[in-house]
Amino acid sequence: MSSQSTIGSALSSFRCVYPGCRSSYQRREHLNRHLTRHNQDQRFCCPHCTSTLARSDLLRRHVRNYHPDRRPPPSRTQKACSNCHVRKERCDGGSPCGRCERRGVACSRLSPEIPQEDRNTPETHELLTTDLVASMSNASRWVGQDFIDIYFNDFHPVWPFLHRGTFNLPKEPCILLQSMLMIGLWIKGDREARNTAMNLHQRLLSAIQVQKDQWYVAESTQPRNNNNKPWPMATYQSILLQLIFALLAAKQETMFDLNLRCPLSSSAYELLTSLVATCRRLGLFSYPNMLAQHDPTAPVALVWVSVEETKRFGLALYKLCRACSQTSTDRTGSTSGLLTLADLDFCIPDSDERWNASSDVAAEGGRLMGLQQACRDNRSPSSWISHASVHLHDARVNLDWI
């Protein structure tokens, strides 16, 4: 007991000397912050109201939140447009600025510069996220290009379910671009970028849940294998990116279970099982249904890209399902409702070299026609992944390995 008391005393070596106060702290800066409560002369008074605050950064935040019309005008460095700010180039402050005008891209203003000590507050994350999302919505999409490049350079080789050759930044749905932007911010790695990615993740998850009736197929409302209308693949890809991000974030805070899976939160797991159930009810991972999405006269290249994209999406979703379990309190490692090999009624995708080739679809059509014999034969069910599961699974063998 005496040794523990000695350790506790050593850890709290900075004690308040104010009469009658017994507070003690492990770090001097914490003690100094505490002392401002006793010394009213050192408090910072708001020049616009009767409020007093203990620290200068709190005063700046107070003025920003409660007296926005009294803030000083932005300095020269605060006038950079979004594009010049991302590219770290000098901006002339015009509207549009000279650089954006020469490039022929939309010029948008950034919000005022945020002091370094205020950058990790919830209000700041809200502001940064709003700016990034707004800039992704303009015609140029320029400010998000760096993060999209990070996505394709670092994330895409591991999760290659988007076709880079036909990816068109100005024409892609905003929810997909914002999800890719979120991944790029997270991979960037610094604390500010990751905080912004987490904020964006929460917003997009909320939007996906609110609009669930637009993408979720309930068992009672949609017959299986209904191909009358196109599948919203961009929405499903965006949801998959949100779930991958949720797993990345969960691994920072939780431990693996005994099956070496990482438990997801109940809301994320519910979203995952909803996506799997929707794909099953649509027959999304059936090769005949993939072909039925296209008119018989459609270009071969377009059909090939669509089929390959759906295959790779299915494999990525299966890979995610293999990496996670329901909750940290579920000790059985339940995988109920998740994708299995038996769901994948297609053969494995064609070569990565062909998938990652950068070319326009029209030119690719002729090349693919000449290489049809080199493509995998998807017509025979014996070559489908689901067929292999018959040989790899036995209900009498209780070993979770595929």
Side-chain angles (χ1 to χ4, degrees), residues 39-58:
N39 191 347
Q40 295 296 324
D41 294 338
Q42 293 183 4
R43 294 183 68 84
F44 296 86
C45 298
C46 176
H48 311 300
C49 66
T50 59
S51 299
T52 62
L53 298 104
R55 305 197 311 271
S56 59
D57 60 315
L58 296 178

Side-chain angles (χ1 to χ4, degrees), residues 287 304 307-308 311-312 315 346-354 368 371-380 383-385:
Y287 177 70
W304 181 84
V307 170
E308 286 290 301
K311 284 184 181 181
R312 289 169 180 265
L315 291 177
F346 55 81
C347 67
I348 63 174
D350 285 326
S351 70
D352 288 342
E353 181 181 5
R354 188 174 299 128
L368 286 176
L371 294 176
Q372 273 189 328
Q373 293 183 352
C375 295
R376 304 188 195 280
D377 185 3
N378 291 273
R379 296 169 295 178
S380 174
S383 64
W384 293 349
I385 297 172

Side-chain angles (χ1 to χ4, degrees), residues 48-331:
H48 311 300
C49 66
T50 59
S51 299
T52 62
L53 298 104
R55 305 197 311 271
S56 59
D57 60 315
L58 296 178
L59 174 61
R60 285 193 294 272
R61 192 189 311 172
H62 167 83
V63 173
R64 183 176 69 244
N65 292 339
Y66 296 99
H67 311 288
D69 55 328
R70 304 294 185 89
R71 297 179 66 185
S75 64
R76 173 72 181 180
T77 58
Q78 296 169 347
K79 292 182 179 179
C81 69
S82 301
N83 301 332
C84 291
H85 179 75
V86 169
R87 297 173 66 87
K88 295 181 173 60
E89 296 177 340
R90 184 180 296 277
C91 182
D92 58 23
S95 184
C97 73
R99 293 185 183 274
C100 289
E101 194 170 21
R102 287 193 294 273
R103 293 193 190 103
V105 298
C107 183
S108 59
R109 296 287 104 191
L110 282 171
S111 295
E113 182 69 19
I114 302 170
Q116 183 66 36
E117 61 270 23
D118 288 348
R119 289 188 177 184
N120 293 315
T121 64
E123 296 89 346
T124 298
H125 299 161
E126 180 93 2
L127 180 62
L128 289 171
T129 304
T130 302
D131 287 342
L132 286 167
V133 173
S135 62
M136 287 295 291
S137 302
N138 65 34
S140 69
R141 315 281 177 129
W142 189 271
V143 76
Q145 183 65 61
D146 287 354
F147 300 107
I148 298 298
D149 290 341
I150 291 175
Y151 175 94
F152 277 116
N153 293 334
D154 299 330
F155 184 82
H156 177 74
V158 184
W159 299 87
F161 57 88
L162 295 182
H163 188 239
R164 190 171 189 175
T166 55
F167 182 83
N168 191 336
L169 188 63
K171 296 183 180 179
E172 300 296 337
C174 271
I175 187 172
L176 180 59
L177 292 176
Q178 291 167 0
S179 298
M180 297 170 69
L181 170 65
M182 172 196 70
I183 296 292
L185 282 163
W186 183 264
I187 294 175
K188 185 182 177 183
D190 62 71
R191 183 170 62 177
E192 181 182 333
R194 290 202 165 187
N195 286 339
T196 304
M198 183 63 72
N199 194 313
L200 184 53
H201 170 62
Q202 296 298 333
R203 287 186 172 205
L204 292 174
L205 272 184
S206 298
I208 289 170
Q209 292 289 3
V210 168
Q211 300 177 20
K212 187 175 180 179
D213 61 325
Q214 299 182 25
W215 61 266
Y216 176 65
V217 177
E219 188 172 8
S220 59
T221 59
Q222 179 73 36
R224 183 178 173 87
N225 302 345
N226 187 340
N227 296 291
N228 291 332
K229 59 181 182 179
W231 297 328
M233 284 303 300
T235 299
Y236 297 154
Q237 291 166 342
S238 303
I239 297 173
L240 179 57
L241 288 175
Q242 296 302 319
L243 291 168
I244 293 172
F245 183 89
L247 188 62
L248 289 172
K251 286 187 175 181
Q252 307 294 316
E253 302 176 357
T254 59
M255 298 178 61
F256 292 103
D257 63 15
L258 294 179
N259 273 317
L260 299 182
R261 291 194 180 100
C262 183
L264 286 177
S265 66
S266 57
S267 59
Y269 191 85
E270 190 276 333
L271 181 62
L272 175 58
T273 54
S274 296
L275 178 60
V276 171
T278 294
C279 293
R280 281 174 173 162
R281 289 163 190 161
L282 289 175
L284 197 78
F285 302 132
S286 167
Y287 177 70
N289 291 339
M290 297 178 197
L291 292 182
Q293 282 282 294
H294 302 278
D295 188 270
T297 61
V300 174
L302 285 175
V303 177
W304 181 84
V305 168
S306 175
V307 170
E308 286 290 301
E309 198 168 40
T310 306
K311 284 184 181 181
R312 289 169 180 265
F313 169 78
L315 291 177
L317 182 57
Y318 173 75
K319 177 180 176 180
L320 176 68
C321 289
R322 294 297 304 150
C324 64
S325 59
Q326 187 166 2
T327 63
S328 56
T329 58
D330 180 17
R331 298 184 180 276

Side-chain angles (χ1 to χ4, degrees), residues 334-382:
S334 172
T335 58
S336 175
L338 299 185
L339 205 65
T340 67
L341 290 181
D343 293 307
L344 307 180
D345 291 333
F346 55 81
C347 67
I348 63 174
D350 285 326
S351 70
D352 288 342
E353 181 181 5
R354 188 174 299 128
W355 175 250
N356 293 320
S358 58
S359 59
D360 62 79
V361 175
E364 186 73 3
R367 194 173 73 87
L368 286 176
M369 287 294 291
L371 294 176
Q372 273 189 328
Q373 293 183 352
C375 295
R376 304 188 195 280
D377 185 3
N378 291 273
R379 296 169 295 178
S380 174
S382 62

